[in-house]
Amino acid sequence: MLIGKLISFDELDSTNKYIKNNLGALESGTIITAKNQTNGYGRKGRVWFNDKDKSLTFSMLVKQNLREDLGLITQLAAVSVLKTLEQYNINVSIKWPNDILINNKKICGILVENIISDDSVSVIIGIGININNKEFDKSIIDKATSLYLETNHRFDVLNIQNVLLEKLEYYYNQYLNNNIEFLDISRSKSCLIGKEIYLENQHETVLVKGIDNLGRLIVVINGLEKVYVGSEISLSNSYRSI
Ligand code: BTN
């Protein structure tokens, strides 16, 4: 897969939604960016707050054959963000399935949406990275951070975007070639594996054992192993070593 046309907007309600609304007209590889997003959303319909010009707000469309391992796309996107930030000497961890954290605070959220028709699928990979943000909405003040807040330096948003595109192309091609090296990176940078965490919707504390080759979380509940896809569970914000 090659990175295709890049279309930049000053303002959109949501870059993911723009792709969804224009799916037929957009080719695989298209990237949509917006300097300002007025109605960005995350998993489970959560609001994604945006501060004009200060963050990277971006979605990419890939059209591909339907595969059972679509869950790996969130993992390859997470590893692409991690490797991008490493290039700026920023170390992050991945909170499965889609959060990138620094010091336990969220610096980036990823939302992968799949629109399936027959044996093909349009995958929308939405990524929001907090870059030069100096403040956050009251509701997320304790949970969110930005590169600026962590380092006291301002970063060039377009520069980060270009590195991210390179990494996405690299790891998406790995995925297409059934090379799951990126999954080893996501496992090794996971902040959950080996920890106990509370599953909010199941009202259970579980031990996280790993991530399987389809990108699902492997947990142990009362001595029994179970696997979950991202949409099945809500993880609490805190986890602890055992
Ligand atoms: C999450 O944390 O649950 C995922 C957040 C994803 C936010 C990005 S910003 C670009 C794209 N457009 C959206 O409306 N959402 C994603």
Side-chain angles (χ1 to χ4, degrees):
M1 200 260 328
L2 282 179
I3 297 292
K5 199 167 165 188
L6 187 136
I7 312 173
S8 303
F9 290 88
D10 276 342
E11 186 169 288
L12 276 182
D13 50 356
S14 149
T15 53
N16 266 38
K17 191 161 164 222
Y18 179 88
I19 293 186
K20 248 194 254 175
N21 289 344
N22 295 280
L23 210 51
L26 300 175
E27 285 177 7
S28 185
T30 305
I31 315 288
I32 304 293
T33 66
K35 288 187 178 154
N36 195 27
Q37 203 175 227
T38 53
N39 206 7
Y41 57 92
R43 286 175 67 238
K44 303 180 192 288
R46 289 185 195 118
V47 176
W48 181 257
F49 291 98
N50 192 68
D51 210 349
K52 188 169 166 30
D53 289 328
K54 295 203 169 56
S55 34
L56 176 59
T57 302
F58 148 124
S59 301
M60 176 170 164
L61 169 66
V62 285
K63 295 183 177 176
Q64 61 166 63
N65 291 335
L66 191 54
R67 299 170 41 150
E68 63 166 345
D69 59 2
L70 291 178
L72 291 183
I73 297 180
T74 305
Q75 298 313 301
L76 78 84
V79 169
S80 301
V81 172
L82 179 141
K83 287 288 173 188
T84 298
L85 297 179
E86 257 182 27
Q87 214 148 302
Y88 297 84
N89 294 322
I90 312 277
N91 264 312
V92 296
S93 60
I94 301 174
K95 184 177 174 206
W96 181 94
N98 70 321
D99 291 348
I100 307 296
L101 308 181
I102 298 186
N103 299 327
N104 226 8
K105 287 185 166 183
K106 184 156 162 174
I107 189 113
C108 164
I110 298 166
L111 176 66
V112 174
E113 297 186 272
N114 299 317
I115 292 128
I116 296 173
S117 93
D118 301 326
D119 54 358
S120 63
V121 56
S122 295
V123 182
I124 304 169
I125 306 171
I127 299 179
I129 307 180
N130 301 325
I131 298 183
N132 294 318
N133 314 56
K134 292 190 172 148
E135 54 200 17
F136 288 99
D137 186 84
K138 264 205 311 282
S139 59
I140 54 168
I141 209 157
D142 297 331
K143 298 185 218 157
T145 191
S146 69
L147 292 183
Y148 176 80
L149 291 175
E150 292 299 318
T151 63
N152 243 332
H153 288 111
R154 288 175 53 78
F155 289 78
D156 184 320
V157 176
L158 276 184
N159 204 296
I160 295 181
Q161 178 179 306
N162 289 335
V163 180
L164 178 62
L165 286 177
E166 260 171 44
K167 304 291 179 197
L168 275 171
E169 182 163 43
Y170 180 79
Y171 290 110
Y172 183 70
N173 281 328
Q174 267 197 0
Y175 165 75
L176 287 183
N177 293 325
N178 299 314
N179 171 355
I180 48 173
E181 187 192 308
F182 64 86
L183 198 49
D184 289 331
I185 301 173
S186 103
R187 288 171 178 139
S188 69
K189 293 289 187 171
S190 164
C191 61
L192 293 184
I193 296 178
K195 307 270 169 60
E196 279 193 330
I197 186 152
Y198 184 67
L199 302 187
E200 288 177 344
N201 46 348
Q202 328 273 7
H203 308 292
E204 293 261 26
T205 296
V206 300
L207 169 65
V208 179
K209 268 200 87 176
I211 300 169
D212 75 4
N213 285 355
L214 297 179
R216 298 174 302 188
L217 196 71
I218 311 169
V219 303
V220 180
I221 307 181
N222 301 327
L224 288 179
E225 260 187 32
K226 276 192 167 186
V227 287
Y228 289 108
V229 299
S231 56
E232 286 174 322
I233 45 177
S234 269
L235 304 174
S236 79
N237 279 327
S238 59
Y239 38 87
R240 62 184 173 90
S241 303
I242 52 154

